[in-house]
Amino acid sequence: GHYSRAEAAGYVAALAGAGVTVAEDPCRLAPDGHFAQLQAGSPIPILVDRSCASQEDAALYLERGARALSTKPGRVGLQETRGIAALAAARGAK
């Protein structure tokens, strides 16, 4: 989340050019139009981590094209983690 929203696309492109296969939270993410554009224009999945803490969050990101979601049982609980994973799998996301 270090980069600004304006810098995120360039940063992700640079990562992809260097052989990186996923970019975790390149900027402050929200399940909005900016995220949808960032992911749609990215050659690699944007891994949504910090701002995906519930199945509701996961559903919103997936509706906007998320291709990878992070699940952390210690932070959100095992049941919520399993729900997020199931939603991601149903949409073909990691």
Side-chain angles (χ1 to χ4, degrees):
H2 175 75
Y3 294 90
S4 71
R5 293 182 112 194
E7 297 170 314
Y11 172 67
V12 172
L15 289 176
V20 173
T21 59
V22 66
E24 180 181 344
D25 288 348
C27 62
R28 179 172 277 169
L29 298 176
D32 58 11
H34 177 267
F35 173 78
Q37 285 184 293
L38 179 64
Q39 182 57 92
S42 176
I44 59 176
I46 306 298
L47 176 64
V48 181
D49 181 22
R50 180 166 285 185
S51 60
C52 185
S54 69
Q55 292 177 60
E56 291 80 15
D57 293 339
L60 290 171
Y61 276 107
L62 289 165
E63 288 171 8
R64 285 156 184 84
R67 296 172 17 208
L69 303 173
S70 182
T71 56
K72 296 192 176 177
R75 185 174 65 169
V76 301
L78 191 55
Q79 183 173 348
E80 199 69 21
T81 297
R82 287 181 176 152
I84 292 168
L87 287 170
R91 295 277 186 110
K94 296 178 183 183

